[in-house]
C-alpha cells in the first residue's frame, strides 16, 4: 500500500511517524520511503505472518459467483482492513493536523495462499429440503496413494513428472440420502479457477488418458487419480505449478445415477424418468481448489520424455572412447587369427602313425 509522501511532509511528519493501526512502537508495522517514483511514496507491506501482529482484520466471506461454464459457484473472499495514522502529541494542543488513512482490500481466497505450501480450499454448499435448509462443507484433499490415508506432501524440489496423485472431494454434515457428484475437474497454472489456460482432467465423457475416476456419485466422497505434468508456459522455469479445481455438487442418492454421463455406444436413459426429478434433487455447484502442486521439469536418464524419442540415440560416445573400442576390436581379431595359424602349424608338424606290414614270425608265439 502506497501513501503520498509529500502530503506527510507538508503536514509536518516523517515516514517514521506513520504506523499501522496505531502500533507506532513496533518497527514491523511502519513503512519505508521509495524515492524512485514521482511523487515519492511511503510503502506499507502487509503479509500473512504480520497480519494480526499489526492489528489488521481478516474476514472471510462466501459470495455467489459464476464459473467459466456459467455454473453457479461459491467463491470465498478474504477482506483485509485497518488504518494508518500519526501519533498523538504529548501536549494538550497541537498545531499539526492528524493524518488518518483507512483501507480495505478484498482478494479471492486463493491469492492469500503461500505458494511454497500445499493448501486446499473448502466450500459451504446449501441444500433446500421440504423441512428447511442445511449447509454441508466440501473439501478437496490430495493424498500420496490409493489408501487415502496420508495427505500429499510436496518436497521443496517438486514432484517428478508422471507422479501419480490421488484426490478426494469429501463432504461433512450429510445423511445417507445425499452423495457427492463431481461434475468436472480441471487444472490451471495459477490459483485462479477462471484462468484462460486450463487443462481438463475429466469433463462429461472426455477424460485425460492418465486420469482414473475411482468413485463418483456413489457415496459422500468422490475420488480420482491423475499423473502430474508441467504447463508448457513454464518451459523456462525449473518448476511448474499446477492448481486443481473441481466443480462439485450434492445429489440425492437415488438420483445420482441419472446425473452421471453415459458414454460409449449406450444411449441415455429414457427422459420420462428424468421428468420426475424435482429442483431439490441436487444442490448448486461449488468449485473447490487445491494447490499448488509443484513439479520439477529436470530430465533424468530414465525420464519418460527420453524414452518417448526413439529417433534420438540413447547414448553418445566421445573420440577417446571410440578409439579404445576400435583398438580392442582390432586386437581381438588379430589374436584370434594368430591362434588359428598356430593350430594349423602344429597340426602339420605332428608325426604320422606307422603301420608295419610283413610275414608272421613264429618266434613271437
Amino acid at each position: 500500500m502506497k501513501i503520498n509522501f509529500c502530503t506527510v511532509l507538508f503536514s509536518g511528519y516523517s515516514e517514521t511517524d506513520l504506523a499501522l493501526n496505531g502500533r507506532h512502537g513496533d518497527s514491523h508495522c511502519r513503512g519505508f520511503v521509495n524515492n524512485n517514483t514521482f511523487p515519492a511514496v511511503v510503502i506499507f507491506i502487509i503479509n500473512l505472518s504480520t497480519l494480526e501482529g499489526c492489528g489488521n482484520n481478516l474476514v472471510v466471506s462466501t459470495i455467489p459467483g459464476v464459473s467459466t461454464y456459467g455454473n453457479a459457484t461459491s467463491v470465498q473472499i478474504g477482506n483485509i482492513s485497518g488504518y494508518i495514522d500519526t501519533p498523538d502529541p504529548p501536549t494538550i494542543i497541537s498545531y499539526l493536523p492528524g493524518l488518518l488513512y483507512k483501507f480495505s482490500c478484498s482478494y479471492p481466497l486463493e491469492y492469500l495462499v503461500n505458494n511454497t505450501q500445499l493448501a486446499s480450499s473448502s466450500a459451504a454448499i446449501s441444500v433446500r429440503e421440504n423441512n428447511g435448509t442445511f449447509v454441508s462443507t466440501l473439501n478437496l484433499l490430495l493424498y500420496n496413494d490409493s489408501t487415502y490415508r496420508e495427505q500429499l506432501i510436496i518436497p521443496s524440489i517438486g514432484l517428478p513428472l508422471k507422479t501419480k496423485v490421488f484426490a478426494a472431494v469429501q463432504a461433512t454434515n450429510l445423511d445417507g440420502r445425499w452423495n457427492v457428484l463431481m461434475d468436472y475437474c480441471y487444472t490451471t497454472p495459477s490459483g485462479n479457477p477462471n484462468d484462460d489456460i486450463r487443462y481438463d482432467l475429466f469433463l462429461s465423457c472426455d477424460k485425460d488418458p492418465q486420469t482414473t475416476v475411482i468413485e463418483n456419485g456413489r457415496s459422500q466422497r468422490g475420488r480420482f487419480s491423475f499423473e502430474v505434468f508441467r504447463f508448457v508456459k513454464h518451459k523456462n522455469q525449473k518448476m511448474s505449478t499446477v492448481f486443481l479445481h473441481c466443480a462439485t455438487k450434492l445429489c440425492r442418492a437415488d438420483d445420482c445415477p441419472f446425473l452421471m454421463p453415459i458414454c460409449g455406444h449406450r444411449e441415455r436413459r429414457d427422459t420420462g424418468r428424468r421428468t420426475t426429478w424435482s429442483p431439490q434433487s441436487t444442490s448448486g455447484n461449488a468449485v473447490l481448489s487445491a494447490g499448488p502442486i509443484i513439479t520439477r521439469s529436470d530430465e533424468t536418464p530414465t525420464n519418460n520424455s527420453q524414452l518417448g524419442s526413439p529417433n534420438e540415440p540413447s547414448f553418445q560416445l566421445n573420440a577417446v572412447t571410440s578409439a579404445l573400442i576400435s583398438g580392442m576390436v582390432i586386437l581381438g581379431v588379430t589374436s584370434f587369427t594368430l591362434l588359428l595359424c598356430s593350430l594349423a602349424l602344429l597340426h602339420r608338424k605332428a608325426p604320422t602313425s606307422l603301420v608295419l606290414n610283413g610275414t608272421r614270425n613264429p618266434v613271437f608265439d
Side-chain angles (χ1 to χ4, degrees), residues 12-202:
Y13 297 98
S14 64
E15 72 278 7
T16 58
D17 294 323
L18 297 176
L20 289 167
N21 306 298
R23 308 295 176 92
H24 297 279
D26 192 347
S27 59
H28 297 287
C29 302
R30 299 173 187 167
F32 60 93
V33 178
N34 183 8
N35 292 316
N36 296 327
T37 61
F38 182 82
V41 293
V42 182
I43 299 178
F44 288 83
I45 297 178
I46 302 174
N47 52 44
L48 292 179
S49 60
T50 60
L51 179 64
E52 298 179 354
C54 292
N56 300 293
N57 296 321
L58 173 61
V59 178
V60 179
S61 58
T62 303
I63 63 174
V66 178
S67 69
T68 306
Y69 291 97
N71 297 318
T73 64
S74 296
V75 180
Q76 289 186 313
I77 300 295
N79 181 271
I80 300 174
S81 61
Y83 64 90
I84 297 173
D85 66 346
T86 53
D88 295 329
T91 58
I92 299 177
I93 65 172
S94 175
Y95 293 100
L96 299 178
L99 300 180
L100 177 64
Y101 302 87
K102 294 183 179 180
F103 63 89
S104 177
C105 307
S106 296
Y107 303 92
L109 197 59
E110 291 86 354
Y111 292 113
L112 299 179
V113 176
N114 187 349
N115 284 339
T116 61
Q117 298 177 355
L118 180 67
S120 62
S121 69
S122 61
I125 192 167
S126 176
V127 180
R128 181 179 299 174
E129 290 188 318
N130 295 331
N131 57 353
T133 302
F134 71 91
V135 177
S136 175
T137 302
L138 301 175
N139 295 277
L140 175 58
L141 302 175
L142 304 178
Y143 295 88
N144 284 322
D145 51 37
S146 58
T147 62
Y148 287 88
R149 295 178 182 176
E150 296 182 0
Q151 292 194 23
L152 177 66
I153 299 178
I154 299 180
S156 58
I157 60 175
L159 294 174
L161 298 176
K162 296 186 70 63
T163 299
K164 183 171 287 190
V165 172
F166 296 83
V169 176
Q170 201 156 352
T172 57
N173 191 30
L174 281 183
D175 56 29
R177 295 172 296 173
W178 296 88
N179 288 347
V180 169
L181 179 63
M182 300 178 295
D183 274 350
Y184 56 89
C185 291
Y186 61 98
T187 59
T188 59
S190 69
N192 181 12
N194 298 322
D195 197 319
D196 293 335
I197 301 177
R198 59 180 290 161
Y199 182 75
D200 293 326
L201 296 180
F202 61 89

Side-chain angles (χ1 to χ4, degrees), residues 149-265:
R149 295 178 182 176
E150 296 182 0
Q151 292 194 23
L152 177 66
I153 299 178
I154 299 180
S156 58
I157 60 175
L159 294 174
L161 298 176
K162 296 186 70 63
T163 299
K164 183 171 287 190
V165 172
F166 296 83
V169 176
Q170 201 156 352
T172 57
N173 191 30
L174 281 183
D175 56 29
R177 295 172 296 173
W178 296 88
N179 288 347
V180 169
L181 179 63
M182 300 178 295
D183 274 350
Y184 56 89
C185 291
Y186 61 98
T187 59
T188 59
S190 69
N192 181 12
N194 298 322
D195 197 319
D196 293 335
I197 301 177
R198 59 180 290 161
Y199 182 75
D200 293 326
L201 296 180
F202 61 89
L203 172 62
S204 185
C205 292
D206 296 329
K207 185 176 69 67
D208 171 69
Q210 311 303 328
T211 301
T212 302
V213 180
I214 303 173
E215 183 180 10
N216 192 18
R218 301 197 307 267
S219 68
Q220 297 180 1
R221 182 174 66 170
R223 297 181 299 168
F224 65 96
S225 66
F226 64 100
E227 295 182 359
V228 298
F229 47 83
R230 67 178 182 89
F231 281 96
V232 178
K233 68 172 295 184
H234 298 151
K235 61 182 179 180
N236 296 325
Q237 303 178 12
K238 293 184 178 180
M239 296 184 182
S240 178
T241 55
V242 178
F243 287 82
L244 177 64
H245 312 280
C246 286
T248 309
K249 60 186 176 185
L250 302 179
C251 57
R252 292 187 184 274
D254 295 336
D255 297 331
C256 283
F258 301 98
L259 298 175
M260 298 287 294
I262 300 177
C263 307
H265 63 279

Side-chain angles (χ1 to χ4, degrees), residues 296-328:
R296 62 175 184 263
S297 58
D298 55 329
E299 296 185 356
T300 59
T302 57
N303 198 318
N304 288 328
S305 62
Q306 292 183 359
L307 296 178
S309 302
N311 295 330
E312 297 180 0
S314 59
F315 61 93
Q316 295 181 352
L317 300 176
N318 54 30
V320 177
T321 306
S322 301
L324 289 176
I325 294 177
S326 301
M328 293 179 63

